[in-house]
Every structure is written in C-alpha cells, then in structure tokens.
C-alpha cells in the first residue's frame, strides 16, 4: 500500500471472523482505550490471517471496499 494510508480495523464486538477488502492493514484490537499494539498484517497470497494479539481471523473478500467489513462496523475511524 505504498503511497496511501493503511486501513485500520477493530473488533469491539468480538467477532471470530471479519471479512475485509484489503490484504495489507493494521489491527488495533478494540477501540481505544481497550486497543492492543497496532500491528501491521499482510495477507499476501493467502486468503486469511489471524491477528497475533486479539486472535481475530481476517478474511480477504475482493467484493468489499477498503472501508467495508462483514460483519459491518469493524473499520476503525481514527480521530483527527
């Protein structure tokens, strides 16, 4: 994702699996102040990856936009 911002995702609801539309991203765990270290994850040629901190399974879904998730509500909007 060189030259752009890296999307961040959170899992306040504790979903076991979150589908996302990107392969490079940051997982923040839950929203602050309950977040974990913001870790960069790269799915690469695979279709899914597990966050080593919160154990959320992120699954790539090419039909989703960068800021869209299934279930909805897991895209992290950083405060300006």
């Amino acid at each position: 994702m060189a030259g752009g911002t890296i999307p961040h995702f959170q899992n306040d609801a504790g979903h076991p699996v979150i589908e996302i539309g990107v392969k490079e991203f940051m997982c923040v765990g839950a929203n602050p102040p309950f977040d974990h270290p913001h870790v960069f994850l790269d799915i690469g040629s695979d279709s899914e990856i597990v966050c080593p901190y919160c154990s959320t399974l992120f699954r790539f879904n090419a039909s989703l936009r960068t800021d869209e998730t299934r279930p909805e509500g897991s895209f992290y909007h950083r405060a300006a």
Side-chain angles (χ1 to χ4, degrees):
M1 288 224 143
T5 39
I6 296 174
H8 289 54
F9 297 96
Q10 55 81 20
N11 190 6
D12 281 337
H15 300 294
V17 179
I18 298 175
E19 293 183 15
I20 59 175
V22 295
K23 288 198 163 205
E24 295 178 345
F25 63 97
M26 300 285 283
C27 179
V28 304
N31 277 309
F34 305 107
D35 54 338
H36 61 54
H38 298 193
V39 59
F40 176 80
L41 299 172
D42 184 351
I43 295 175
S45 61
D46 294 329
S47 61
E48 55 190 33
I49 193 168
V50 174
C51 174
Y53 286 97
C54 65
S55 300
T56 300
L57 175 66
F58 289 94
R59 185 172 292 141
F60 177 68
N61 182 333
S63 69
L64 297 175
R65 296 183 318 266
T66 301
D67 63 349
E68 187 178 18
T69 64
R70 284 195 191 126
E72 294 181 3
S74 294
F75 185 76
Y76 175 64
H77 299 276
R78 288 178 279 186

